Amino acid sequence: MSCGGIFDPVSKQSRIRELDIISSEPGFWDDAEKAGGVMKERTFLSSVLEQLEGLESTLDDVGLYMEMYAEDPEDESSLAEARLAVGRMSTIVEGL
């Protein structure tokens, strides 16, 4: 299932490739305003992809902490770490 929109890394990667092709064309920098817009879009998309990768990594961490907690429910440090990781995920999503 795909959420699309901001959570669609495949389309963002595809668009970055398109922008890379555009920016490598002869005369690309002849129109500085247009070139600046292309590069700004590329920078934005790259930033979003990095944030999505961070989100995915943090989600993996939450899963690991929850597995550790399931193995030893009396050790609440794993649960506390999972909660902190969920907080980090929330911050990342809010930044998107």
Side-chain angles (χ1 to χ4, degrees):
M1 183 170 115
S2 174
C3 294
I6 196 80
F7 297 104
D8 185 4
V10 173
S11 69
K12 285 170 186 34
Q13 291 166 340
S14 177
R15 181 63 180 155
I16 287 172
R17 285 190 297 274
E18 290 173 14
L19 295 172
D20 286 344
I21 291 168
I22 291 168
S23 67
S24 67
E25 292 176 357
F28 171 74
W29 292 104
D30 292 348
D31 183 344
E33 188 173 328
K34 183 178 177 183
V38 168
M39 298 312 290
K40 184 176 181 179
E41 181 182 357
R42 189 191 188 292
T43 299
F44 171 76
L45 292 172
S46 293
S47 174
V48 170
L49 283 175
E50 286 178 21
Q51 291 175 20
L52 290 175
E53 289 168 2
L55 190 60
E56 184 176 11
S57 174
T58 304
L59 181 60
D60 290 343
D61 291 346
V62 170
L64 178 63
Y65 293 133
M66 294 309 296
E67 284 178 23
M68 292 168 55
Y69 179 70
E71 290 175 8
D72 185 6
E74 292 184 23
D75 180 10
E76 293 197 11
S77 65
S78 297
L79 184 58
E81 289 295 329
R83 287 182 177 142
L84 288 172
V86 168
R88 288 192 301 273
M89 289 174 57
S90 177
T91 300
I92 292 169
V93 170
E94 288 172 7
L96 295 173

